[in-house]
Amino acid sequence: MGSFSIWHWLIVLVIVVLVFGTKKLGGIGKDLGSAVKGFKEGMKSEEEQPKIAEKQVEGSRVFENDAAKDKR
């Protein structure tokens, strides 16, 4: 039982296309691509979230973004 040749894979591909059709295979590919893209964006946004510094102001906690808003 050796490795499959290119002809074996072409026959399998033709059978899959005949069973599922090109529209359904295209839809599956599109859905899979968008899922992978969404996963990558989710991982990227988690890593790039800036850390908000916290500082003490007169006995209470104030975040830097909140303090900057108060100055305006």
Side-chain angles (χ1 to χ4, degrees), residues 19-69:
V19 170
F20 293 109
T22 56
K23 284 187 177 182
K24 190 164 205 153
L25 289 175
I28 291 171
K30 185 177 180 180
D31 291 342
L32 182 63
S34 65
V36 170
K37 183 179 178 182
F39 177 75
K40 284 182 180 180
E41 287 176 0
M43 294 299 292
K44 185 177 180 182
S45 66
E46 240 180 58
E47 292 173 355
E48 292 181 354
Q49 289 179 347
K51 305 238 178 198
I52 299 174
E54 181 180 323
K55 59 184 176 179
Q56 294 284 350
V57 176
E58 298 176 17
S60 63
R61 294 185 320 173
V62 176
F63 294 98
E64 281 188 15
N65 289 350
D66 293 337
K69 289 178 187 175

Side-chain angles (χ1 to χ4, degrees), residues 4 6-18:
F4 292 106
I6 188 71
W7 294 109
H8 290 106
W9 290 114
L10 287 175
I11 292 171
V12 169
L13 179 65
V14 168
I15 292 171
V16 168
V17 168
L18 288 175

